[in-house]
């Protein structure tokens, strides 16, 4: 909870939808692995933001491995920033929440929520490039999440035309980004100046996103008295989503809700 405010600026990225539970997301992740790596014998590429999102995916795979559900395949984390961030998190178990602490103590055979026998962290450029010519099935977790830059862009370019490949999107992609173009169903996309046919499978799991759904965001501002709020500004979202979120806010009892346009000014 935070103190009562007069004006509130709220993001609205997922203001028109509800996330599934993390347990459901874990099952969806397993289905993506089984379909791609066991059935098709292909590569599962997971574009992921390096801090927070990557560790959530690694933790989910670690849990599946300990349950004996994850197939015996290689998993690569190919992002120097993701690797470094994960190492820092490993050093600070005092910051883990109760759920992860219980898991490490009672369920994790390795006592490490970010490490299991088939998981490899990639740092060097040479090792990253080797993944592009690798023919064996595997999972590649790599930044950036919107596929606009970083090593994942190379993995996408080298595998997007292969029907055995699956690109699994686990976060929000801004509409003008490569990730958004791929996930919305464009038949061709330009990567590094070359046109590529999109022949791979596409999957999406939104529950791992750092952006809350409309129930989570409305719950978060539940500490505020609606009658004392002079205005809520809804930002950081696509227009249709913002309109839906405004409706949800009004249903929750909030009255004065503004969706600013670019360069709008307001006197408070």
């Amino acid at each position: 909870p935070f103190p009562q405010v007069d004006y509130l600026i709220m993001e609205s990225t997922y203001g028109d939808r509800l996330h599934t539970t993390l347990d459901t997301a874990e099952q969806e992740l397993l289905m993506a692995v089984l379909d791609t790596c066991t059935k098709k014998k292909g590569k599962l590429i997971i574009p992921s933001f390096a801090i927070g999102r990557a560790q959530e995916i690694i933790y989910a795979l670690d849990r599946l491995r300990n349950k004996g559900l994850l197939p015996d395949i290689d998993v690569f984390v190919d992002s120097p920033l993701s690797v470094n961030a994960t190492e820092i998190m490993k050093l600070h178990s005092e910051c883990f929440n109760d759920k992860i602490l219980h898991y490490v103590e009672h369920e994790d055979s390795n006592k490490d929520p970010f490490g299991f026998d088939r998981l490899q962290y990639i740092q060097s450029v040479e090792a990253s490039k080797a993944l592009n010519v690798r023919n064996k099935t595997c999972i590649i977790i790599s930044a950036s999440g919107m596929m606009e830059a970083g090593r994942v862009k190379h993995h996408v370019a080298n595998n997007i035309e292969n029907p055995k490949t699956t690109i699994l999107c686990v976060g929000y992609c801004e509409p003008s980004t490569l990730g958004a173009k791929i996930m919305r169903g464009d038949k061709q996309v330009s990567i590094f100046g070359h046109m590529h046919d999109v022949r791979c499978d596409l999957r999406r799991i939104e529950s791992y996103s750092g952006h809350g759904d409309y129930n989570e965001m409305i719950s978060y501002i539940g500490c505020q008295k609606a009658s004392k709020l002079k205005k809520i500004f809804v930002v950081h979202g696509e227009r249709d989503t913002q309109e839906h979120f405004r409706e949800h806010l009004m249903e929750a009892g909030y009255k004065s809700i503004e969706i600013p346009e670019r360069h709008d000014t307001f006197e408070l």
Side-chain angles (χ1 to χ4, degrees), residues 163-259:
K164 292 183 178 181
T165 298
T166 299
I167 296 176
L168 173 60
C169 187
V170 292
Y172 174 75
C173 292
E174 194 276 331
S176 66
T177 62
L178 174 62
K181 294 171 184 175
I182 292 171
M183 297 310 297
R184 74 188 178 202
D186 285 15
K187 300 301 181 185
Q188 285 190 325
V189 291
S190 175
I191 308 175
F192 299 123
H194 298 282
M195 295 304 297
H196 293 266
D197 293 329
V198 182
R199 297 197 182 104
C200 64
D201 283 340
L202 305 174
R203 287 178 178 252
R204 184 190 298 274
I205 304 176
E206 293 180 341
S207 299
Y208 288 118
S209 173
H211 298 282
D213 61 26
Y214 65 78
N215 271 348
E216 290 170 326
M217 290 189 289
I218 291 172
S219 174
Y220 180 70
I221 65 169
C223 58
Q224 299 292 293
K225 291 184 178 178
S227 60
K228 292 187 176 182
L229 272 174
K230 295 179 180 178
K231 192 178 291 290
I232 296 177
F233 294 96
V234 174
V235 300
H236 199 287
E238 297 168 48
R239 184 70 193 198
D240 288 348
T241 303
Q242 291 176 318
E243 296 284 1
H244 281 104
F245 187 43
R246 174 158 57 186
E247 293 175 10
H248 290 303
L249 284 168
M250 294 180 71
E251 289 170 3
Y254 299 96
K255 303 299 182 187
S256 183
I257 302 160
E258 187 83 38
I259 301 176

Side-chain angles (χ1 to χ4, degrees), residues 76-207:
F76 299 99
V77 179
D78 185 25
S79 161
L81 182 56
S82 296
V83 174
N84 293 338
T86 306
E87 287 301 316
I88 291 170
M89 289 187 181
K90 286 183 179 183
L91 294 172
H92 293 281
S93 58
E94 76 278 4
C95 296
F96 293 169
N97 62 32
D98 291 340
K99 185 176 181 180
I100 296 182
L101 287 173
H102 181 273
Y103 170 73
V104 172
E105 185 65 29
H106 300 286
E107 301 174 42
D108 188 358
S109 59
N110 295 319
K111 304 301 179 185
D112 177 4
F114 308 117
F116 51 92
D117 56 342
R118 298 301 293 268
L119 178 65
Q120 300 179 48
Y121 288 92
I122 302 295
Q123 283 275 23
S124 72
V125 174
E126 292 75 17
S128 177
K129 288 180 177 178
L131 294 179
N132 288 319
V133 296
R134 175 190 171 97
N135 292 322
K136 292 182 180 179
T137 184
C138 63
I139 300 170
I140 301 173
I141 304 166
S142 186
S144 72
M146 296 190 191
M147 303 176 234
E148 273 291 284
R151 293 182 177 181
V152 76
K153 195 169 184 179
H154 294 273
H155 295 308
V156 170
N158 280 280
N159 294 279
I160 196 168
E161 297 190 3
N162 188 341
K164 292 183 178 181
T165 298
T166 299
I167 296 176
L168 173 60
C169 187
V170 292
Y172 174 75
C173 292
E174 194 276 331
S176 66
T177 62
L178 174 62
K181 294 171 184 175
I182 292 171
M183 297 310 297
R184 74 188 178 202
D186 285 15
K187 300 301 181 185
Q188 285 190 325
V189 291
S190 175
I191 308 175
F192 299 123
H194 298 282
M195 295 304 297
H196 293 266
D197 293 329
V198 182
R199 297 197 182 104
C200 64
D201 283 340
L202 305 174
R203 287 178 178 252
R204 184 190 298 274
I205 304 176
E206 293 180 341
S207 299

